[in-house]
Each structure stands twice: as structure tokens, then as C-alpha cells.
Amino acid sequence: MGDGKERTEDPGEPSSPSRAQVWLRRMARMPWSKDGRKKRRQGSLEDERMARLRTSVDPLQRAATVARETSQLMRDKNKPLPGVPEYMTDVETERRKVRVGEGERRIHVGTSQPEEGYCSNRVVTAKYNLLTFLPRFLFEMFTRAAYLYFLIQAVLSWISVISPFSGVGSTLALVFVLLVAAVKALVEDHKRHEEDRTLNNSVAHVVSEDGKITDKKWEDVKVGEILQVYDEESFPADLLCIYSDLPDDVCFIKTANLDGETNLKIKRPARFAVDVIQRPEELSCLKAELVCEAPNANLHVFHGVLQGESQQQLASNTLPITMNEVLLRGCTLKNSRFIYGVVIYTGGDTRIMRNQAVTPTKVGIFDKFLNVQIVILLIVQFFLCLACSITSYVWAQEEGLNNYYLALDQHVQGNFENGFVYILVFFLTFWILFSYLVPISLFVSMEIVKFWQGLYILMDEEMRDFDTGEPARARNSALNEDLGQVEYVFSDKTGTLTTNDMRLREISIRTDTYGRKDFQLEKFCGNRRENMGMPALQAFDEKLHARLYSTLKDIGEAGPSPQLPDNDDVFEFFICICLCHSLIVEQDPENAEVGIYQGASPDEVALVQAARDIGFEFVQRSSSSVTLSLHGALYTFEVLSMLEFSSERQRMSVIIRWPNGKVKLYCKGSDAIMLGLLAKEEEPLLVKIDDQLLHYSTGGLRTLVFGYREMELEEWEEWDDWYQNAALESDFEAREKEMVECAKMLEQDLRYLGVSAIEDKLQDGVPEAIDCLKQAGMKVWMITGDKKETAINIAISCRLILDREKLLMCLADKKEVAKDVLESLLRQRTSDASGRDFTGIRQELLIDGKTLTFVIGDRALEMVFAQIADGCNGVVVCRSSPKQKAAIVHIMSEYRQQIAAEGSRTRIQAYWRKLFCRLNTLSLAIGDGANDIAMLQAANVGVGIAGKEGRQAVNNADYAFTQFRFLVRLLLVHGQLSQYRIARLIKYSFYKNVAFGCTLFIAQFFSGFSGQALIDSISAAFYNVVFSSVPVLLFAVLDMPLTFETLMHCPQIYNRIKSLSTFTFWKSVLDGILHGAVDFLIPYYGLRNLGVGRNSLNGLYAVGRTSFVALTGTVNLEIALVARHWTWLFGIFTVLSFVLVFPFFIVLEGLYRAFNIPDPAQWGVTQRLFASPAFWLLMCVSISVTFGHRFCWLSTKRIFFPGDQTKLAVMEQAGVLDKAAVSRRLSTLSPRNGHDIAGGVQTNGTMSLVGSSVMELSTSHLPGVRHDDSAV
């Protein structure tokens, strides 16, 4: 780079020399270059300037000092400062006028008048208020197809010309359903209102221009006001920090409410403001204008410039403002006494509110399934109504005219002469009559059931973290049933499979290695001073102890002294660890002798803690220095500059002036970056370094490479001048680019120090959990950004990779190579050279992020990759980016849909196959960091791990807990039970409604297709909402086919049967048709000849009520019959749901008379029916026929064709289930294929509980048959 030539290896490098390259050319001519290291002439002004420059660590904050001195010297000498680029003339200064962009915000700082025209600081997260609740709630409900359907039905039922029912019943049913949903919405919104009220009424301390402090509510805070915030208080708005009461001009904040991280972060007042405000009373001296960007959601970057002229300075001042000086709303001040800040953004403009984006709406598979089946059912209803209306017209023209008493020859309202009008009116009549085919109570029942299932997850003690007490949470209970049908599990590694609790295990200094993986330094020391230092160093490694013993002993005995070992690689390695980080020290309340290191990086905490344990202790950080304790001797190192870590740079550097005056740059980062920054003299070591990195990676350890170089003070000064000028760039994008390029110039020609190897331990139970998921038939993926060797080793440790030698590797550096490798792997995966088929053999695949860049976006390569991966039992993706994680989820979903659509003859057939594939092939993603959010949102189900990387993943997940192993219980127990319960809730709800609708339909054959209803609308509404809804609701909340323990010990039964499929759904519909027909025809033919005149029992409502009572008994016995787990509560409500029908009719008829409702056809019907033995006989016969049909069917199926769930349930009840043996037996069989599990039965001789007859206890079975317990 020093020759200024274009670097062809970097495609992003501009063709013409940049200002940075111009600076490099000038660097080569400096007095301290290779031509001769002469000291630069320094005058008194330069000495004073350098002293001021070193008062801050952050180069951006020192830019204010640079700007002031530049302006002053330009005035005094009419020439630029030494070190400032020569082209920085007045023209260039004019070019640096602030350009923020559209929507810029200009705030006057130091005035007593707040800025107007900005949004209020009042925050409202509640959805409703008194005025908007009703219209907004109704709009939300009726935008859902089902509720709009029921609304139309209710409106039509009030039109007497077409409605066979009174509008009261359907309206009451709809109102009841809406009231339940409204109460639920109000309860949830009330909590939001309480939280908003508490927050908006919190107290903020406003500083007036005369220095007085007045309190006001948060909601009254305005942009431009200066606030005082004390320790443990949250920031009311986004603030620019202008003063901190700490002597080091820093403050500490906790961002847990913002990103979930509990480590303290360092913030500093704006440098310009610190120069003006030395005491709180001097706030009135600050007169400036802040020009900043428009409100946005970026939590990590802030662009702004502070300009102004103070009463203590003559020159104009300009200072770039970054996120280092901004205090965001939602954060809390810690250990800083108090600060002053200027309000930048308020209310909805604050960063925390801008980040409250709505999580993508996810709908459960059963909801999607219902949408499809309801559409089909509505199509059936349409043709059914059309057929009935046409038949009605034909009957009226043929048979009706022969019955003179019907007077159908008189064309009046309801008997239209025009055939089209007649058919249209009667079509609407039958549409209303058959509207009960769709159960209105189902949608409310599903919401209630899913809510309770979410509570079960919350209250599950087996999923509660033992250390923190954090429970598992269902943040989106709408997806509960999806948990029982997962086929793909995409998992992050760090913090998800591992603990994210980093510990230093080994180090390599130059060519020597120290430490061992099985020694735990943290346990040896135990935060006890007596174990730290020499004892810990000797226990860590004898060779390292011998290498450092004399040096550290001399330091400890000599006390504080500038005489430190120079150019000692071992000593420099540990000094680099102690200086090159961004941690702060917090007092431990439980152990005053040892502080707590706080920082955003767990790797840094692990390194600094390990260095402290062996005698190199980081003691204190100030705004311009770092203090170390080297075996008891204190040394202060001056921090000249700090180049912070970023995901793009993948490294961090710090420039330090030692106590002896030497200036050194220390750098650490990933091996992929650091090895390219080493000096040419280090090239002979690269082979050895690669071997060390491979050794550590193979052991599953995370590595960091350390290096340093020594420089003259003049070199740093020259570079710093350029860096400050880059920081003053008013074009924010250009500023970032210039600063990054400046950092690259300094971080080169490094001397290699060594490598640290940090262990990130697997969480408890991870190998067992992954093994269990694989036994359940799920394909598990591990997607990580770590290097290949580390990823492979972790995958082996957690049993994702079983045989490293058979691992399929897909690594390529070009697209053509990637294509060849994938095609070769596909052939290898399919068969060997002899043509043997290998598709049934379980293999594992590894692919890296670089290869994925060639695959993603190429449809053909995506499908080839997906075909290979889909046939593997486990897949590892290393060096991946967040976007690639989400892309992988989409690729596998599209591949399965493409496979499902193969062989389709028409586009419609292909569409339906893809649709049902989406319903049956579900993916789950699990992660703990912000880089996993895209993957969590792309998958059907997203699970967040509440770990050390904050709660951003949790906040964007559907379910959340603290340990990966809890995923097994979430899927095998809660997932299977939720799917089982909701599936039967749906099937039963349609069964009972179709049965009711069938009685109305068959009655039309005996009433000339007149559209007359058998039952009144109120009774019909009570049937749907009361008499048949409570038992199934309790069933869906309490019933379980197997115990929790059995579900956990038998993962092979997971997702082997579809609890709800098109077949089982329409089978339930057919059962409803059959039972509805029986419950109408038996009462009809039994009562047709009973009684004459007013006391007859063959009237419309007599037959209708007999059929209604019989049907109510049938549907309640049905739910009792299919229940696997009876409770007293379920039994009582099942009986009451049927028994209450009798007093209901008596009370209903009494109410008709009391309110003088004219319905003489119903008067006395109830009393005559209840007094007739025929009624009771026909009711019992109807119930016995329908119950007998279902009892015989289920008994035959469960005895002669039992499914796995039935077998296990029988074994549980008999107490002969050996769960360990069952698990072993099932593990030898292919998941999701029919198999016998008799091997799990404890037998005496030849006796077994599983076979062709449960009662005979024989050992025979039906091998190879896929049993479906769901077809009940």
C-alpha cells in the first residue's frame, strides 16, 4: 500500500488514489520513516495541543480539539498545521459545512426554550381507547373471513322474506362470540394502558436556563430541554450527554431494556460540552446547535454534528457526534451519580420506539387447514343450497299445485311467480338454514384452548431454568399445534447449543503452547485472592510459570516502576490481553477483593479474567488510561487511540504509551483477518500458526490471534491528525469510509504474539436432546459463523455428526467449483460406482458460507443443494451470515414444495400439492442472538434462547426459554398434546354442526323443500354455543392420549400420524351426516302416527325437539367416547350439557308466554313431549344407534388394529410399560413408519398386552401396518 498503487486484489478499491493513499505517500517522506528516524520539531503550541488531545480515549471526541486548534492556527499563521493534508485549504474547510440530509433535525442547545414542532414524549402502546375500541375491534374481527361470514348470516336472518329463523338466535350467537373476543382484547389492552400510564407519569428533572431543577412528567418533556438523570433512573428520551458527575468524564448505562444485555456500557459526554462545562452551574455557558439525522431505528449508529460558540472560547467549534455520546430511552444510568443531557428525540421518534416493529404474523397450520376446508365446505353449501332451491321450485310447480290447501297458485310474498326470483330467494333461505355447517363457537374455543396451552408451557416446572427461575414462555400461542409437526430444526451454535460462558483453556505464544483443555483455571482460583498469581500460573502450566517466574517476582518485589520487560513476547502477550479490550470494572457486592468485568464480548471477559487469575490484572479504566496490577505492582498505561471491534473489521486495536514512553499498537481479531496483517518477517511462522489453529479448532475451541507493533510518537501524531480530519468529514458515509481506511493503514506489519483458545461449553443435555430429535424423525441443522474445524468438533460433541470420516464436504471458492462439487456429492449420495443405492444410508453434510454465496440465488444449484441436504441426517453450515441463515430456511421449504408438485398434470393440482406440503412440512429455528432474528422469522416456528447475547432473539421469537434441551419437551410433550387436542376440537366441532345441519337438510325432503326449520333460532344458537361447546372445550384443555413421561421416552411416535388431515376431517363430516340422519329419521317415523289434533306429537316442532334432544345426547356421548383421560370436571359438564336441555325447553316456552311472543305452534309442545313415553323411547333408541355405531367402530379399531398410541396407552393402564425398553425398541426402527412396539412390554413367559386382542394378552401383532390413531 505504501507505493500508492491500486490494489487489484480488492474489488472495492477505487481506481484513483484516495486521500488515504496520498497520506501514505507523505508518510514515506516523514523524518521518522525508514530513511531516518529524526524527531519532529515541536513548539510550545504543539505540546499544549498534544496534551489536550490525550484527555480523551475516543478519537471522535478529540476531533473538537483538532477543529479548534486548526481554526486558530489558520488564523494566526495562515497555514495548515503540520500533519494536516496540504489540500485542506479554506476551500476544503468550506466543503466541510454540515450536510445531514433530508429530514435533518436542528436543536439549539443551552436555551431555556424547548424546540417546537416535534412529536410529544407521550408513548402509547395500547391499541384502543374509549373512542376507537368499538370501531377498531369490529374492523379487526370482520376482516377475518369467518366472522364476516357469520355477520352476513346474522344480517340475512333478520329479513323475514328469506330467513327460516328469527334473527335473534344467530345475532345472539355472534354477539356472544364477539363479547368473548372483546373481553380478551380488553384485558390484554388494559395491561398496556397501565404500563403506558406508569411510564408517561414518571418524573423527569428539567434544568432551566438559570440552573434550577424542576420536575415534570415524562410525557411533557420536549426536544431541546436539558434533563438531569440520577443513578438507577431511566432516560425519559434520547439524550445527548453533555456532562457527567464522574471525574473521568464518563458514565455507565445498562441497556437490558433495549437489547437484553446486562453488561454495563461506557458513554461519554460530548467533548465540546466537557470543555465548556466543568461544573453543573456552568450549563448556562453552553450555546450550541446540534444538527443530526432524522429519527430512525439504528441502535448502533448516530450521525450528528455539534456546532456553537461558547462564552469561554473565541473560535467556532465543530464536533462530530456518534452513538458514544447518545443515551437512548429505555436504558438506565448506573454508578455515575448523575448526568445532564439534551433531549434529541422524544416519544415515537426515539430509537426504542422505532425498533418496536410488528413481528411478522404467523398462522398455525390448523388455521391454514381450516381456511382450505371451510372454502370447500362453503362450495358444498353453495351447490347444496342451489340444488335445494331448484328442487323447491320444481316441487312447488308439480306437487305443490296438487295440494290446494297450500295455495301455491297464489303468487304472494314468499311465492314468487318469476322462477329466477323464486330460486334466488329460496337460495338465500337455504343458505341461512345451512349456515350451521360452519361452527361459530370453534373460533372462540380455539383461542381459549391455545391460551390455556400457553399457560401450561409457562407453568411447566421441567422447562424452568434452575439457576435463574426463568420459565418457558409461549409468546405466540397461535402456533401451538405446529410444535407437533416439525420436520426441520435449524439451530444456531454459540449461546444456543453452547453456554456462551467463555473460559480460557490454552494459549500459544509464538511457537510454544501452554495450558491444557481439561484444566479449569476459574475453578482453581474460585475468585479467591490466595489462589491467584503464582499458584494459578503454576497450575495452569509449569513451562509458563518457569518462563515468567523471575520476571514477575522482580516486578512484585520492586513495586511500581517504569522498568518493565521490553520485547518479551510472553509478557507482551498478556499485556495485549489486559489492554486491548473494552471492558470496565464493577464492584462485586459479594466479594470486595475481586471486581466484576463488564463488557459486550464474553470472549474479552474470559481473557481478562484468566489474565487476572495468573497475575496480570486489569484494575481500572479512566478516560485516558488503563491501570494494571502486575503481581501487586500498579502500572498506568496511557491510551492514545482505540479502534473498536466491528463485525466488518473483525478485529480491535488500541494504541498505548507505556510508562517508559514507548508507543505500541496492540491488535487482536479473527485468524482470517489477522494473519493477513502480519509483517513479512512472520511468514515462516504461518505454517506453525495454521497447525496451532487447526489443533484448537479440532478441539472445539474458539481462537483469537494477537499481534503488536512498536511505533514512534511522531508516527502516531501524524496518523492521528489524518484520523481526526476524517472524523470531521460532514458527509457521514464518506466519514465512515475514511475512518475505516485510516484504521487499515495503522493495522499492518504486526509482529505475531500468539493465539488464545477459549472453550464455549455445550449446554447440559444438548447431545441427548439432538439424539432425541433425530429419533423423532427431525432433520437437525447447525448453522454457525465459526470456522469449519470448530463447527465440526462441536457437531461431533453434540452427536449431530456421528462419523467424521463419512462426512460430506461442500467447500468451493468459485461458482463453477461449487456446481461440480454439488453434482459430485449428489451422485455420491445416490449411489456408488457399482450402482448400489445409498439413499437410505444416513449421512451428514458440511457446507461453508462462501460456497453458499454461489448457491443462493441460483435456482438450479439451490435445488441440488436442497436435495443433498434433505437426504442427510444432519447438516452443518459454517462461516454463515444472518441472511444466509434465513435463505437456507426458504430453500428447504421451496424444495419440499417442488418435490410435492412433481408429477402434477395441471397447475391446479400442483398448487394444491404445494399447499398441503406447506401444511405438512414445518421448520423450526432456534437461536439466541440478534443475528438469528432473520432465521427465526423465516421459519414456521421461531424459538429464542434467553442467554448472554441479549433478548433480541427472544423478543422476535414465538417461544422462549433458557436451555436448548427444553426444546425436546416443548415438541414431544406440548407439541404433540396441543396438536392432538386442537385437532379433535376442530373435528368434533364440525362433526356436531354438520350433524345438526344434516337434520335440517333431511327434513326438507319431508316438507317440500320449503326451507322450514325444525327448531327455533334461540335453541339452535344454544346448541352451538352452550349444549355442545363446554365438554369439547374441557376435552381440548385436559385430555391426553399418553402421560408426559411416555411422550418423552418414546420420541419415535412424534409426528407419525396426522391428527388432522383431509381424510380424518371429512370422515368426521360423514359421521356427522350419518348421526344427523339417524337422529331425525327415527323420531320422524316414530312420531308420525302418534296423536291427532292439538295433542298430536307428529307436528314440526315435536319432531324437531325430539330430534334436537337426541342429537344433543349423541354429540355429548361422542366426546365422552373419544376422550382418553377422564376427569371429574369433564364428566360433570358432559352430563350437564345434556341434562340442561330439558329445563331449557321448559324455561324457553315459559319466556315465550311471559313476554307474549306469538308462536302458538310451540305452545304446549314441551309438556306433551315430556309426558309421552314415546318421546323417551325414541330419544334412547336414536342415541343408542349412534353411540353403538361409534362404540363398535372404535372398539374394533383399538382391539384389532391398534395404533402405537393405543398400544402405549393400554400398557400404561396395565402398568407393564417398560419405557426404557420401548425407547430402545423404537430406536431400532425407522421413524414415522409402521412398526410394532411389543418389545417394550414386560412379559411373564409368552404373555403380552399388545396384539390382535388386548384381552387375550397374546404376543401376536400386525407388522408393517401403519396405524392411524387419529381416525376416530
Side-chain angles (χ1 to χ4, degrees), residues 657-676:
R657 183 153 75 170
W658 276 45
N660 60 9
K662 288 189 175 182
V663 178
K664 296 182 181 181
L665 177 141
Y666 293 99
C667 186
K668 70 176 180 186
S670 68
D671 58 282
I673 298 296
M674 290 293 295
L675 296 184

Side-chain angles (χ1 to χ4, degrees), residues 394-606:
V394 172
W395 189 93
Q397 297 299 316
E398 301 292 338
E399 293 292 329
L401 293 176
N402 295 330
N403 298 296
Y404 66 91
Y405 54 86
L406 295 177
L408 292 179
D409 56 340
Q410 302 296 321
H411 298 291
V412 295
Q413 188 178 30
N415 184 27
F416 301 95
E417 183 177 5
N418 186 290
F420 175 78
V421 174
Y422 185 100
I423 293 175
L424 177 62
V425 170
F426 270 82
F427 176 87
L428 296 176
T429 299
F430 285 114
W431 185 269
I432 298 172
L433 186 66
F434 299 149
S435 63
Y436 288 95
L437 294 176
V438 179
I440 189 173
S441 61
L442 171 62
F443 302 95
V444 174
S445 299
M446 286 183 65
E447 289 190 13
I448 296 174
V449 168
K450 290 184 178 183
F451 171 76
W452 277 104
Q453 290 172 347
L455 290 181
Y456 287 155
I457 295 175
L458 179 68
M459 296 184 295
D460 192 342
E461 294 297 323
E462 296 296 325
M463 297 176 66
R464 184 181 296 272
D465 189 87
F466 179 78
D467 297 324
T468 64
E470 178 81 12
R473 300 182 186 276
R475 304 185 72 253
N476 184 7
S477 58
L479 305 180
N480 289 346
E481 66 269 23
D482 291 18
L483 298 174
Q485 205 166 315
V486 173
E487 290 197 15
Y488 292 97
V489 176
F490 301 97
S491 175
D492 178 40
K493 182 185 77 69
T494 304
T496 303
L497 300 178
T498 62
T499 61
N500 207 14
D501 182 16
M502 312 298 182
R503 300 293 180 180
L504 182 67
R505 291 293 175 251
E506 299 180 65
I507 59 174
S508 174
I509 303 177
R510 298 295 287 181
T511 58
D512 299 324
T513 58
Y514 305 99
R516 59 186 187 275
K517 187 177 180 180
D518 59 346
F519 176 71
Q520 299 182 358
L521 182 63
E522 67 281 0
K523 288 188 176 181
F524 177 85
C525 296
N527 277 343
R528 295 188 298 272
R529 283 288 181 185
E530 59 271 17
N531 294 340
M532 297 179 183
M534 287 297 181
L537 180 60
Q538 186 172 9
F540 181 74
D541 193 281
E542 289 283 355
K543 294 187 300 180
L544 186 62
H545 175 263
R547 179 83 176 269
L548 288 174
Y549 176 78
S550 59
T551 302
L552 294 178
K553 183 178 180 182
D554 294 341
I555 292 176
E557 293 177 352
S561 170
Q563 300 301 321
L564 291 174
D566 195 13
N567 297 325
D568 184 329
D569 291 322
V570 177
F571 193 81
E572 293 280 7
F573 178 82
F574 286 103
I575 291 295
C576 183
I577 288 179
C578 294
L579 296 178
C580 189
H581 60 80
S582 58
L583 305 182
I584 60 175
V585 185
E586 188 180 19
Q587 190 66 33
D588 188 348
E590 299 179 359
N591 188 353
E593 294 183 356
V594 180
I596 299 176
Y597 295 128
Q598 296 276 10
S601 170
D603 295 85
E604 287 187 344
V605 174

Side-chain angles (χ1 to χ4, degrees), residues 1 31 216 314 451 462 636 928 968 994 1100 1169 1185 1242-1243:
M1 294 179 60
K216 65 165 57 175
L314 296 177
F451 171 76
E462 296 296 325
T636 299
D928 72 317
V968 176
V994 168
L1100 176 70
L1169 280 176
V1185 171
Q1242 296 175 345
T1243 61

Side-chain angles (χ1 to χ4, degrees), residues 1068-1086:
S1068 299
V1069 171
L1070 292 176
D1071 285 338
I1073 293 173
L1074 175 62
H1075 290 180
V1078 170
D1079 286 332
F1080 171 79
L1081 293 174
I1082 290 178
Y1084 174 78
Y1085 284 105

Side-chain angles (χ1 to χ4, degrees), residues 867-881:
Q867 184 178 356
I868 298 171
D870 189 60
C872 295
N873 198 38
V875 181
V876 177
V877 183
C878 60
R879 296 292 195 187
S880 65
S881 66

Side-chain angles (χ1 to χ4, degrees), residues 995-1007 1014 1072-1090 1097-1100 1102-1111 1114 1174-1175 1177-1183 1185-1186:
F996 182 75
C998 184
T999 62
L1000 302 178
F1001 171 70
I1002 295 178
Q1004 301 307 308
F1005 288 90
F1006 303 93
S1007 60
L1014 279 175
I1073 293 173
L1074 175 62
H1075 290 180
V1078 170
D1079 286 332
F1080 171 79
L1081 293 174
I1082 290 178
Y1084 174 78
Y1085 284 105
L1087 296 175
R1088 63 183 303 181
N1089 296 319
L1090 293 180
L1097 296 179
N1098 61 355
L1100 176 70
V1103 174
R1105 291 194 178 180
T1106 305
S1107 177
F1108 183 90
V1109 174
L1111 184 62
T1114 295
F1175 164 78
L1177 176 62
L1178 293 173
M1179 179 192 69
C1180 292
V1181 171
S1182 300
I1183 294 176
V1185 171
T1186 54

Side-chain angles (χ1 to χ4, degrees), residues 36 44 151-152 158 243 271 297 345 523 548 562 585 686 701 716 723 750 770 859 867 921 980 982 1015 1031 1118 1236 1263:
S44 59
L151 175 64
I152 295 173
W158 285 98
Y243 177 81
R271 195 73 238 159
Y345 304 117
K523 288 188 176 181
L548 288 174
V585 185
L686 290 180
L701 302 177
W716 171 78
Y723 195 81
L750 301 180
I770 290 182
R859 180 71 175 178
Q867 184 178 356
T921 304
Y980 165 82
I982 298 176
I1015 203 74
E1118 170 69 16
D1236 179 67

Side-chain angles (χ1 to χ4, degrees), residues 991 1067-1068 1071-1072 1074-1075 1114 1117-1118 1121-1122 1183-1198 1270-1272:
Y991 155 80
K1067 180 184 177 299
S1068 299
D1071 285 338
L1074 175 62
H1075 290 180
T1114 295
L1117 277 178
E1118 170 69 16
L1121 188 63
V1122 299
I1183 294 176
S1184 298
V1185 171
T1186 54
F1187 177 77
H1189 157 252
R1190 290 292 290 155
F1191 180 80
C1192 292
W1193 167 265
L1194 292 177
S1195 298
T1196 302
K1197 184 178 183 301
R1198 291 177 180 176
S1270 66
V1272 295

